[in-house]
Each structure stands twice: as C-alpha cells, then as structure tokens.
Amino acid sequence: MRVIFPAAALLVLPSAFGDGIQFSRTIDTIADDSSWSLKFDSGCSSSDDYGSNDCSFAWGDEVTGNVDLSLGHDLDEGSTFSVDMKVDSIVPFSFSCPVCGANCTTTIPIVNQDVNFAMPPCPVSALDLSTPFDYALPADSPTKGVKVSAKGTLGVKDAAGATVLSGEITATVQ
Ligand SMILES: *[C@@H]1O[C@H](CO)[C@@H](O)[C@H](O)[C@H]1NC(C)=O
C-alpha cells in the first residue's frame, strides 16, 4: 500500500517506500588466471574480494563505481554466458548466449520484453581493465511498483567448456 507523504519527506527519504532495486551475490568460481571486482561508491552494506555486495538503489539514483577485470586468456568463438533464474520462485528465466560473434536474444519474463543485442566480435582478447562507471537508473519503476524477485545462477564458460566465472544472484525490483 502506498502512503502519501509530504513532498519534503520524499526529498529526505528517497527510498522510504522500498521502490528500487536490491541485490546480493556470491561468486563460486573464477578461473585461476582471471579476476573480477565491481565496486559501487555507495548503496551497498558489505564487500568482499569481488567488490561491493548487498546493494540497494532507488529509481533515479546515479550509480557510480569502478569495475576491475582481468581476463587471463582469450574467449574464442563458442564461449557462452548463461543465466538460470527463477522469478518470484516460479517463472523460469533461463538462457545461454554467445559471449562474442553473434547476437544475444532472450525475453525478459513478467514485463515480456524481447532483448536482442550484438555481442562483440570474437575473440574477446585477454585484458586488464579498470574503469569507472556512472549510470543513471530509470526515474520510474519498470514494474510499475510491483515487487518482483529473482534468484539463480550466472556463469561464463570458455570455448573449451571451462568455467571462467560462476555465481549466484538474488535480486528484488520494485
Ligand atoms: C543483432 O542486434 C542488433 C542490435 O544490436 C540488431 O540491429 C540486429 O538486427 C540483430 N541481428 C539479428 C540477426 O537479429
């Protein structure tokens, strides 16, 4: 239920309604020759070797931070990333996409949004990357304020089928 607050209270308590995005993750496996860290400047209540964790952002927030990525070997054609999640504990959201050399296509359940975007050319070369990011979240909830939760696994495999990165994520969007 929505409570009407005076506008001044909204300015002081931008996430008082709980509308926004929250997530936690664990990293299970990362290739010996690679590393990964994603740090947010604010909005998260814990951190580990892989960066910030237990994060919460409100719609319209400007999200800033730094990503440090080291990939120890090329990702050739045939490398994949996969998502295997359950939305609201029941609706499956599972897909596997090429890491490079083709489009990634999937449909986001609940909002029924088709996604089709080009991945970079193959191979994705071994690299060391450290770069800041600055991303403005949409001003309004894409779920129109309806609480949607998702939980599952994410993984990246190289062309030989070896795991480059795998982990679990729990997220709530409202
Ligand atoms: C691949 O994605 C791009 C957008 O990134 C799109 O313009 C193009 O039509 C897509 N190609 C195919 C074969 O779907």
Side-chain angles (χ1 to χ4, degrees):
M1 194 183 90
R2 289 212 171 211
V3 182
I4 310 295
F5 278 169
L10 282 179
L11 294 176
V12 180
L13 301 167
S15 53
F17 296 124
D19 282 13
I21 182 161
Q22 294 175 301
F23 66 87
S24 309
R25 53 100 193 117
T26 53
I27 304 279
D28 297 327
T29 312
I30 188 157
D32 289 343
D33 63 1
S34 300
S35 66
W36 159 264
S37 165
L38 178 64
K39 290 193 182 100
F40 296 97
D41 293 330
S42 61
C44 305
S45 61
S46 71
S47 67
D48 60 18
D49 289 350
Y50 307 109
S52 309
N53 203 359
D54 302 313
C55 303
S56 178
F57 302 107
W59 301 120
D61 275 3
E62 189 177 349
V63 177
T64 61
N66 205 80
V67 59
D68 289 281
L69 167 68
S70 170
L71 178 65
H73 62 282
D74 289 0
L75 292 179
D76 297 316
E77 186 167 4
S79 304
T80 56
F81 76 92
S82 59
V83 170
D84 188 6
M85 300 189 77
K86 282 268 170 63
V87 180
D88 289 340
S89 306
I90 26 176
V91 182
F93 178 40
S94 298
F95 66 91
S96 177
C97 270
V99 166
C100 59
N103 276 25
C104 176
T105 61
T106 184
T107 301
I108 300 172
I110 310 287
V111 291
N112 245 328
Q113 174 83 47
D114 287 332
V115 184
N116 181 6
F117 56 96
M119 300 303 289
C122 289
V124 174
S125 305
L127 58 84
D128 279 299
L129 177 79
S130 177
T131 186
F133 61 85
D134 185 337
Y135 180 75
L137 289 179
D140 299 307
S141 167
T143 64
K144 314 269 190 272
V146 176
K147 187 173 181 175
V148 176
S149 63
K151 185 177 183 165
T153 61
L154 304 166
V156 178
K157 286 188 171 165
D158 67 19
T163 297
V164 178
L165 181 73
S166 77
E168 278 129 52
I169 189 160
T170 303
T172 304
V173 174
Q174 182 169 4

